Amino acid sequence: MSAETTGSRGFTYWRLRFRAWRGSRPFWAGLYTMAGGVPIAYFPYANLHLGNITLAMSTTAGAGSLIIGVLLITLGLTIWYHQQVRVFAGVAAILLALISLPVANIGGFLMGFLLALFGGALALSWVPTKPRRRDLRAQAAEPSGDEPDALPEEGSVPGPREEGHGTAVTETTVDANGGRNSAG
């Protein structure tokens, strides 16, 4: 293999990529919210086998539990991929967790309730990170094309504008006629 070929990227590369992706969003809030939706949606349709006895958990609230669980999973994905609506998604996750208590077998036997409640609270409390000081210094050190070359010193008064070769800066009567109005 030559030095110019990229070859396959190793585990470290993908781990660092995932770490950067995870750090730029409320990852744990979305994960806990989705994990809370799973038991809420699963338990009303589950059959538990205790020896030779099959215990069916189906209740009349099975459809409500499924809707709440699917909505919590959707809100978890929304928290991951649309950080702008994380406050709405966090409040909605908390409300759905509270609604799951009477509707979905005590909120998925309290497991789904607690996970969704914690995930919603994390989504509400997450704030994007501020750039580091050294990043700001590096950005300030690199001049961009749209900024002026020299900034006036603080407290100084800017001087008069330099005009072109005999042409006026503006074409209004006030500026072109020395500040006097002509009515004719």
Side-chain angles (χ1 to χ4, degrees):
M1 190 183 319
S2 70
E4 295 166 355
T5 60
T6 58
S8 69
R9 296 188 170 144
F11 175 73
T12 304
Y13 172 78
W14 292 109
R15 182 180 59 85
L16 292 175
R17 290 272 317 250
F18 175 70
R19 187 175 179 186
W21 178 82
R22 185 187 72 199
S24 66
R25 61 197 70 244
F27 176 77
W28 295 108
L31 186 67
Y32 283 133
T33 303
M34 286 188 287
V38 171
I40 290 173
Y42 174 75
F43 283 137
Y45 296 101
N47 291 327
L48 299 174
H49 299 286
L50 301 172
N52 292 333
I53 300 172
T54 301
L55 189 62
M57 300 297 294
S58 346
T59 62
T60 56
S65 300
L66 184 64
I67 290 171
I68 290 172
V70 168
L71 283 174
L72 282 171
I73 292 170
T74 305
L75 286 172
L77 290 170
T78 302
I79 291 169
W80 273 0
Y81 293 108
H82 297 287
Q83 297 88 20
Q84 299 85 1
V85 293
R86 71 183 184 282
V87 174
F88 167 76
V91 170
I94 290 171
L95 290 176
L96 284 172
L98 290 172
I99 290 171
S100 74
L101 283 173
V103 171
N105 293 334
I106 313 169
F109 298 118
L110 293 179
M111 286 188 304
F113 166 73
L114 291 174
L115 286 170
L117 195 68
F118 192 62
L122 283 175
L124 286 174
S125 65
W126 185 82
V127 179
T129 59
K130 295 179 183 177
R132 296 180 184 168
R133 284 188 174 187
R134 63 180 155 185
D135 295 340
L136 290 175
R137 282 189 221 131
Q139 186 180 10
E142 296 175 7
S144 63
D146 58 347
E147 294 178 4
D149 292 336
L151 296 175
E153 295 179 16
E154 191 173 327
S156 68
V157 178
R161 289 189 191 171
E162 295 180 17
E163 295 183 13
H165 301 286
T167 60
V169 177
T170 60
E171 294 297 325
T172 62
T173 317
V174 174
D175 292 330
N177 201 8
R180 286 171 272 160
N181 257 336
S182 62

